[in-house]
């Protein structure tokens, strides 16, 4: 069985939904389909929540009414029979009355998660009704019945596998199984979610749970490109990536793939294919455990980086200095991207300024602190094993005319990273493309 995940853009209109229906049925083989909310819906639901947090039920109701009107219009375009128009209309009326019920009571983060979950619930119901109308054997499975996180807010793969297996056995054989991406229950049974990008994560978790042949992530881009097509001309889709390479690119800015979503697939040895709903016959990108030696694959960039340098003579020959520095970042739950050390100093990068002032104040106890903002990490990904003579030199040579604040190499066999000013990002990406791929 293949798992197919479609993002918000792919189901963003009735016409797109019809295209998705064609894609999921064209093979004629049993398929598990994971859907996001229609594009723009999650943001609108969050806007409703914002009004409710501000104790403005009138504002919330106005947004709810506009969203309801939009969906009711979709019904007229999506369905051809009065039977399914009316069936979906009744479902939507119940859904939006449910949203309105939140305007009358105390509003907390628990209610917010229930509201945000409705986007995926609406899109999957509409798609299932459309498939039924066209005579397709499809069944809707609620993700809230099997997708669960543990007390650490991490997915519980054993629970997911057992529950999903029981549900599919009870349901019997169908051509199409549909469920919601993103949403789940937490360890306490409350409605929760896998955070933004969580639909990819859902697909990967389901693929691992049912031992799928392949997990397909359908978006509006023809696979993962070897550079940012918004900045660099004539980029090309990378046809194959190792899981480690894909994770590096996803973390450092390639938005097509969520950084954590491929981990379950990686551990289960299930290939992930990135495909384009606008060009369904394009090859796309396959992500698997195969390592292709001697190739540079792609370049990605991560913006809004802050560099922090701590310089102290107390660090020289001292034990425990680095531990104290890292514990400060840990105490403020601020991850570090890059690290470079010398005899009397350490430089690190972070991508959030939420606790910057407090972190800097704590670091000043141990040395002189310098902060550089508006920085950018440029990440070059490929077979960068240290035994490959000259490979890192290709990347550094492309950067010879650009001021580089930090270089990170050797922490992984798959990347070399450069920290530069944001104003130098465009030139850096273009130079790297010219040197590595032309």
């Amino acid at each position: 069985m293949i798992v197919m995940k479609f993002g918000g853009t792919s189901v963003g209109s009735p016409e797109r939904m019809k295209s998705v229906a064609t894609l999921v049925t064209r093979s004629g083989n049993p398929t598990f389909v994971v859907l996001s909310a229609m594009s723009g819906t999650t943001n609108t639901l969050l806007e409703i929540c914002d009004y409710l947090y501000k104790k403005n039920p009138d504002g919330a109701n106005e947004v709810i009414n506009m969203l309801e009107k939009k969906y009711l219009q979709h019904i007229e375009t999506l369905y051809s029979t009065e039977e399914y128009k009316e069936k979906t209309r009744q479902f939507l009326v119940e859904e939006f009355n449910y949203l309105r019920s939140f305007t009358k009571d105390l509003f907390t983060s628990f209610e917010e998660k229930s509201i945000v979950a409705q986007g995926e619930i609406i899109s999957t119901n509409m798609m299932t009704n459309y498939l039924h109308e066209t005579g397709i054997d499809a069944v809707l499975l609620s993700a809230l019945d099997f997708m669960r996180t543990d007390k650490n807010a991490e997915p519980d793969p054993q629970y997911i596998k057992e529950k999903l297996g029981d549900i599919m056995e009870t349901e019997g054989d169908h051509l199409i199984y549909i469920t919601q991406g993103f949403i789940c229950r937490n360890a306490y049974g409350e409605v929760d979610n896998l955070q933004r990008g969580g639909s990819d994560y859902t697909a990967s978790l389901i693929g691992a749970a049912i031992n799928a042949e392949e997990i397909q992530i359908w978006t509006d881009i023809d696979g993962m490109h070897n550079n940012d097509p918004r900045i660099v001309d004539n980029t090309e889709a990378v046809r194959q990536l190792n899981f480690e390479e894909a994770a590096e690119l996803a973390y450092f800015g390639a938005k097509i793939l969520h950084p954590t979503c491929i981990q379950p697939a990686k551990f289960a040895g299930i290939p992930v294919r990135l495909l384009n709903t606008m060009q369904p016959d394009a090859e796309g990108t396959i992500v698997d455990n195969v390592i292709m030696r001697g190739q540079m694959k792609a370049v990605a960039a991560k913006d809004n980086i802050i560099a922090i340098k701590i310089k102290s003579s107390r660090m020289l020959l001292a034990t425990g200095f680095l531990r104290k520095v890292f514990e400060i970042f840990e105490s403020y739950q601020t991850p570090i991207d890059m690290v470079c050390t010398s005899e009397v100093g350490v430089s690190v990068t972070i991508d959030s300024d939420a606790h910057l002032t407090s972190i800097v104040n704590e670091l000043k106890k141990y040395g002189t602190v310098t902060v550089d903002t508006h920085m950018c990490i440029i990440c070059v990904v490929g077979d960068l094993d240290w035994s490959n003579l000259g490979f890192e030199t290709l990347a550094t040579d492309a950067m010879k005319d650009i001021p580089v604040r930090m270089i990170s190499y050797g922490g992984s066999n798959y990347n070399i990273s450069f920290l530069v000013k944001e104003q130098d990002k465009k030139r850096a990406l273009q130079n790297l493309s010219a040197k590595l791929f032309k």
Side-chain angles (χ1 to χ4, degrees), residues 20-73:
V20 167
T22 301
L23 288 173
V24 301
T25 57
R26 67 176 179 171
S27 72
N29 297 318
T31 304
F32 208 117
V33 180
V34 178
L35 299 182
S36 297
M38 293 179 74
S39 57
T41 298
T42 300
N43 286 336
T44 303
L45 294 172
L46 287 170
E47 183 183 359
I48 293 166
C49 294
D50 189 46
Y51 277 114
L52 295 176
Y53 275 125
K54 291 179 169 63
K55 302 186 187 307
N56 183 355
D58 292 338
N61 276 319
E62 189 171 335
V63 178
I64 291 170
N65 292 341
M66 287 191 294
L67 187 62
E68 182 180 30
K69 182 179 178 181
K70 175 183 174 181
Y71 272 101
L72 290 174
Q73 289 172 344

Side-chain angles (χ1 to χ4, degrees), residues 180-226:
Q180 301 86 19
F182 179 60
I183 68 175
C184 64
R185 291 193 187 275
N186 60 27
Y188 309 100
E190 300 156 341
V191 176
D192 210 327
N193 57 64
L194 299 172
Q195 308 303 316
R196 287 299 180 104
S199 292
D200 292 350
Y201 210 174
T202 301
S204 191
L205 289 163
I206 290 172
I210 66 173
N211 195 27
E213 299 169 36
E214 183 175 279
I215 298 164
Q216 298 179 353
I217 308 293
W218 291 80
T219 66
D220 55 356
I221 301 173
D222 178 23
M224 194 174 285
H225 278 230
N226 60 7

Side-chain angles (χ1 to χ4, degrees), residues 11-22:
V11 292
S13 68
E15 292 76 19
R16 294 277 177 86
M17 280 194 169
K18 291 178 181 180
S19 297
V20 167
T22 301

Side-chain angles (χ1 to χ4, degrees), residues 382-435:
D383 180 19
L384 281 155
D385 189 282
W386 67 280
S387 61
N388 292 339
L389 295 178
F391 271 45
E392 71 282 359
T393 306
L394 287 171
T396 55
D397 189 46
M399 302 290 286
K400 64 184 180 183
D401 297 325
I402 296 169
V404 176
R405 168 70 173 76
M406 289 169 62
I407 299 177
S408 177
Y409 173 64
S412 158
N413 290 335
Y414 303 100
N415 90 74
I416 179 170
S417 298
F418 303 90
L419 182 69
V420 302
K421 294 179 180 178
E422 284 186 353
Q423 66 195 51
D424 294 322
K425 169 185 169 180
K426 180 177 181 179
R427 195 156 51 101
L429 292 179
Q430 291 174 338
N431 287 1
L432 284 164
S433 261
K435 187 72 175 178

